[in-house]
Amino acid sequence: NAGVTQTPKFRVLKTGQSMTLLCAQDMNHEYMYWYRQDPGMGLRLIHYSVGEGTTAKGEVPDGYNVSRLKKQNFLLGLESAAPSQTSVYFCASSRGPGNTIYFGEGSWLTVV
Amino acid sequence: DAKTTQPPSMDCAEGRAANLPCNHSTISGNEYVYWYRQIHSQGPQYIIHGLKNNETNEMASLIITEDRKSSTLILPHATLRDTAVYYCIVRVDNQGGKLIFGQGTELSVKP
């Protein structure tokens, strides 16, 4: 049982490049989330999903897109990366409200 | 969304109980209080959660006041490895049950 796995763990992008972060969970969870964390700050919610084929905006959705084509995967895309998107990205999943939310180990993204 | 207020930092002596307070005066009746901690830049680690009653597990105890406007996380015998940022979060029941993080409390356990 791997829990929540994020790929890649580290990436350096040039401004304007695109990339996709993959989050995979093997716990058959309905709910999945993408957060970002900037230095010295708490986590901020980017987008979330309450089931396969559904997505919704969080606190800071601009500049990101997401897709949940399969229940176990939640993809976070940056279409045109900007230096302001340099951050640590965390994925999380949960069975539903009232249940524990489990986090991945993070993906470090630097945009130069 | 209900917000939480925590002290920015606290110290605790190793082996003593660490009591971390949290204020959530605007909490709604069906919203849970969750506690997570984050060590360095690792992924947040779940500690405990509760709705109305006090809760205890192998890591900690959660004391929620009767009016639910505040709570306290208790680490009964703090160790150096408990040094971390602790987040008290009121979980929104709708909108995907999302967690909205505040700034947390930076707990330093000292020898």
Side-chain angles (χ1 to χ4, degrees):
Chain A
N1 184 345
V4 179
T5 304
Q6 296 181 223
T7 310
K9 288 187 168 46
F10 300 95
R11 183 75 185 270
V12 178
L13 280 179
K14 293 183 179 179
T15 297
Q17 284 186 318
S18 63
M19 76 158 294
T20 301
L21 294 173
L22 169 64
C23 176
Q25 52 90 7
D26 60 2
M27 298 174 281
N28 200 36
H29 285 171
E30 288 292 335
Y31 292 13
M32 297 186 74
Y33 313 84
W34 273 110
Y35 288 85
R36 63 175 287 175
Q37 185 174 33
D38 299 323
M41 297 183 66
L43 282 72
R44 292 183 293 170
L45 182 65
I46 306 172
H47 285 281
Y48 64 97
S49 168
V50 298
E52 183 178 320
T54 74
T55 63
K57 294 180 180 180
E59 302 170 88
V60 288
D62 294 342
Y64 304 95
N65 56 74
V66 288
S67 64
R68 184 96 180 270
L69 299 179
K70 293 183 179 180
K71 187 177 183 179
Q72 63 268 33
N73 295 336
F74 195 28
L75 279 65
L76 178 70
L78 287 72
E79 292 183 342
S80 179
S84 60
Q85 295 177 303
T86 293
S87 191
V88 184
Y89 292 84
F90 290 99
C91 178
S93 73
S94 167
R95 187 173 299 167
N99 292 283
T100 303
I101 295 182
Y102 297 93
F103 284 82
E105 288 304 309
S107 295
W108 274 252
L109 176 64
T110 301
V111 183
V112 297
Chain B
D1 296 345
K3 293 188 176 180
T4 61
T5 304
Q6 300 176 252
S9 63
M10 292 181 62
D11 290 339
C12 178
E14 188 178 19
R16 302 296 294 270
N19 297 277
L20 290 85
C22 180
N23 180 285
H24 33 78
S25 57
T26 60
I27 193 170
S28 298
N30 58 353
E31 290 178 330
Y32 287 78
V33 178
Y34 278 73
W35 283 84
Y36 280 78
R37 72 181 182 184
Q38 189 175 28
I39 299 173
H40 298 302
S41 294
Q42 298 177 16
Q45 178 188 21
Y46 168 79
I47 301 173
I48 199 167
H49 74 281
L51 183 62
K52 295 180 181 178
N53 300 320
N54 298 336
E55 302 287 345
T56 296
N57 63 20
E58 65 278 4
M59 288 184 68
S61 295
L62 174 61
I63 309 298
I64 303 174
T65 58
E66 191 169 345
D67 63 7
R68 303 215 319 128
K69 293 185 177 181
S70 65
S71 61
T72 301
L73 177 74
I74 301 172
L75 306 178
H77 304 287
T79 71
L80 299 179
R81 287 183 290 182
D82 291 323
T83 292
V85 178
Y86 287 76
Y87 294 99
C88 168
I89 304 161
V90 172
R91 188 173 182 185
V92 179
D93 205 22
N94 56 8
Q95 299 180 51
K98 61 190 178 184
L99 295 174
I100 302 298
F101 286 77
Q103 295 301 308
T105 296
E106 187 168 5
L107 176 68
S108 296
V109 180
K110 301 182 183 299

